[in-house]
Amino acid sequence: MSLIFQKVICRIFSTTTCVAGQDRRYRAVGRKGWQRNLVPRSALHLPRPEMEDGGDDLQKTELLRTLENFKWLGNKAPCFPVNGNKIHVLSGPDSFYKTLIEKTSQAKQRITLASLYLGTGDHEHELVKTIESTLKRNPDSNLKIRVLLDATRGSRGAQQNSCTMLLPLLQSHSQQCSVHFYHTPALRGILKKILPERWNEVVGLQHMKVYIFDDSLLISGANLSHDYFTNRQDRYLVVEDSKELVDFFDKLVETVCQFSFQLNENNHLNLNSDFPHHPCDSNQHEFTQEAKRRIENLFEKQPKASSSVLQWPNPYSYDTWIFPFVQMGQLNIYMDNILTREILEKVPKNAELCLATGYFNLTQEYMESLLEHSSPNIHILMAHPLANGFFGAKGFAGGIPSGYTLLAYQFYRRVIDKALETRIRLWEYRRQNWTFHAKGLWISFGREDPRPSFTLVGSPNFGYRSVYRDLEAQLAVVTINSSLRDQLHQERKNLFQQAELVSATTFDQPERKIPLWVRVVIKVFRRFF
């Protein structure tokens, strides 16, 4: 492929994204939401079972027998038992933004923000101002601010970018603030010189979305920018008053900062003097090995909890168990990918598994897990072309929704060819003037009580980028807490109520025709999406 053609293709990634809206080309499709197709309507609207004294304990004990399927996680990942009443599921962008502002204004000890980038709009300015106001109100406190973003995405834009947004804060509070930018070791040499802005971001990114305020953790797939605060649907889980869990994630972010650039008061990026290898100029293998060693050391220091996983009742009223997963493919860390596949393949036949991804580009391994090695009913939620952030964009970028449609169609054909259409269903999220960015899993057991007892929530999209290119983090949450299960059930229900069931006629519509050039691009560049 010539360099000229590559430059043409790169225009796909260099056009400003557009908010999904209405388009008369798309025929109205009868909405068959979560209530009508996944479980009986009566089951969804059943009140929480009324039980005699001790009945709730009995129900939890019976549920735990089912959840023994996940006990093996205690041997594979750190485990943090918590009380499920301390966990809250946020519903949308507005709640996400309000929680960020509220938690920031109330913080006394630490604020740690790890995201892909910080936007440059009014909402983002307000967030930075809130951080500064909190620092000013506590001039003599030990409050520390740490921000971790991606170097390529965070520096995009000559006049305004994440660096310029945070520089004044750093200059006025240099003793309390540190700002770091992770740079992938795969972007180096001639590749770094020839790839323009936006295009260089396909090589690899810091993609974790971890937001810490004192001893509370907000984990999400949402970035710190306008769309994610207004009309881009994602998922958001808040864990309150869980010091050990929050300490772990704070240390995880701090460890990545060790091998990232740090912004100084003169708007220059300098590598941490305590890290011996430069991500671009040093030997790539040496950088990767040392970065991997530090991440693995963090996990090795966490106590194994296999004997206490899913033990209930217990003296501390723990009824929820949280397992952190990370994925850093370019550092040869594949924890999330390995454990997620094992989860998919171990869910029993009588369960219901729902998977959501903002970008449908499942790896071959994930497709094999779902098609060849899984047993439960599966529902996959993805973005309708109208809910894709590139819908309506000018030039080549306007073809990106067609690219994801092609990938969905190819997977759908495999489902049909294997006669699995009654067990595996695809859904498209469609909401006027909204885009879709939610990702994760929900698993529930039995139709009599459809509330999930397990969820994955965080930044991975189950695609090639998440597995091989970006830094990712998420939580596996196993719970018998009734209130938390209610929240997860409502979250899942709300998302699927905005969805339409995919059928053979979905891809027969004239507006779903895939241009030839899109087919070529997807075949060549699929591992970059």
Side-chain angles (χ1 to χ4, degrees), residues 15 28 75 84 109 137 173 182 202 277 305 312 356 371 401 420 431 450 461 474 482 492:
T15 305
N75 295 318
Q109 300 170 339
R137 285 199 308 271
H173 301 278
Y182 169 82
V202 306
H277 308 293
W312 189 91
L371 296 171
L420 296 174
R431 184 177 179 185
N461 273 295
Q474 67 177 336
S482 184
R492 181 182 62 179

Side-chain angles (χ1 to χ4, degrees), residues 127-157:
L127 178 58
V128 175
K129 287 180 181 178
T130 304
I131 296 175
E132 185 169 19
S133 297
T134 302
L135 286 166
K136 288 181 177 179
R137 285 199 308 271
N138 302 276
D140 300 321
S141 73
N142 295 320
L143 177 62
K144 298 293 184 182
I145 313 296
R146 180 186 290 120
V147 181
L148 171 65
L149 305 172
D150 182 74
T152 53
R153 182 62 182 88
S155 60
R156 185 206 296 178

Side-chain angles (χ1 to χ4, degrees), residues 126-377:
E126 183 63 29
L127 178 58
V128 175
K129 287 180 181 178
T130 304
I131 296 175
E132 185 169 19
S133 297
T134 302
L135 286 166
K136 288 181 177 179
R137 285 199 308 271
N138 302 276
D140 300 321
S141 73
N142 295 320
L143 177 62
K144 298 293 184 182
I145 313 296
R146 180 186 290 120
V147 181
L148 171 65
L149 305 172
D150 182 74
T152 53
R153 182 62 182 88
S155 60
R156 185 206 296 178
Q159 302 301 319
Q160 268 198 318
N161 53 44
S162 301
C163 292
T164 62
M165 287 287 292
L166 293 166
L167 185 61
L169 184 66
L170 183 62
Q171 291 172 334
S172 59
H173 301 278
S174 60
Q175 298 303 309
Q176 293 172 277
C177 297
S178 63
V179 180
H180 308 263
F181 292 85
Y182 169 82
H183 190 290
T184 171
L187 183 61
R188 54 177 50 233
I190 187 65
L191 193 65
K192 184 174 175 61
K193 293 179 180 180
I194 65 173
L195 289 180
E197 283 188 355
R198 297 178 184 265
W199 183 248
N200 59 7
E201 296 167 24
V202 306
V203 178
L205 298 168
Q206 191 308 105
H207 198 248
M208 298 186 295
K209 318 299 169 58
V210 176
Y211 309 113
I212 291 171
F213 309 92
D214 292 341
D215 291 335
S216 295
L217 168 70
L218 195 171
I219 193 160
S220 178
N223 291 305
L224 300 174
S225 66
H226 176 267
D227 288 354
Y228 297 91
F229 299 150
T230 53
N231 64 344
R232 188 159 205 178
Q233 183 65 55
D234 215 300
R235 298 182 66 207
Y236 332 83
L237 194 76
V238 180
V239 185
E240 306 273 11
D241 303 325
S242 184
K243 187 178 187 306
E244 292 183 353
L245 173 66
V246 177
D247 284 349
F248 171 81
F249 270 97
D250 198 34
K251 185 62 178 178
L252 174 64
V253 174
E254 191 273 330
T255 302
V256 175
C257 290
Q258 291 175 14
F259 48 85
S260 299
F261 291 107
Q262 183 169 352
L263 183 68
N264 66 20
E265 299 170 51
N266 298 318
N267 200 24
H268 293 147
L269 294 177
N270 299 318
L271 189 65
N272 187 335
S273 58
D274 294 331
F275 194 81
H277 308 293
H278 194 282
C280 310
D281 301 334
S282 298
N283 179 279
Q284 183 175 354
H285 176 73
E286 291 177 350
F287 175 92
T288 298
Q289 286 299 103
E290 179 61 19
K292 177 185 179 182
R293 184 187 68 80
R294 297 193 181 199
I295 295 294
E296 289 182 338
N297 282 349
L298 171 62
F299 276 85
E300 289 170 0
K301 291 177 182 178
Q302 303 306 309
K304 295 296 182 181
S306 57
S307 61
S308 61
V309 173
L310 303 184
Q311 293 298 312
W312 189 91
N314 56 70
Y316 307 102
S317 299
Y318 296 144
D319 54 15
T320 302
W321 296 265
I322 296 178
F323 305 87
F325 294 176
V326 299
Q327 183 82 3
M328 302 178 177
Q330 293 184 341
L331 304 183
N332 295 318
I333 297 173
Y334 294 95
M335 176 189 188
D336 179 74
N337 172 235
I338 293 171
L339 297 183
T340 299
R341 286 194 66 199
E342 196 163 351
I343 290 167
L344 294 176
E345 295 175 10
K346 286 188 173 182
V347 178
K349 185 176 182 179
N350 63 343
E352 193 119 56
L353 186 153
C354 299
L355 182 153
T357 174
Y359 305 104
F360 187 87
N361 185 19
L362 300 180
T363 64
Q364 186 63 34
E365 288 182 332
Y366 280 138
M367 286 192 285
E368 288 179 1
S369 292
L370 294 171
L371 296 171
E372 306 288 347
H373 306 295
S374 69
S375 302
N377 289 328

Side-chain angles (χ1 to χ4, degrees), residues 53 89-90 121-122 135 161 293 320 336 385-386 391 420 433 488 497-498 510:
D53 291 344
V89 179
L90 305 182
D122 292 341
L135 286 166
N161 53 44
R293 184 187 68 80
T320 302
D336 179 74
L386 291 172
F391 178 80
L420 296 174
N433 297 323
L488 293 171
Q497 280 182 329
Q498 302 290 339

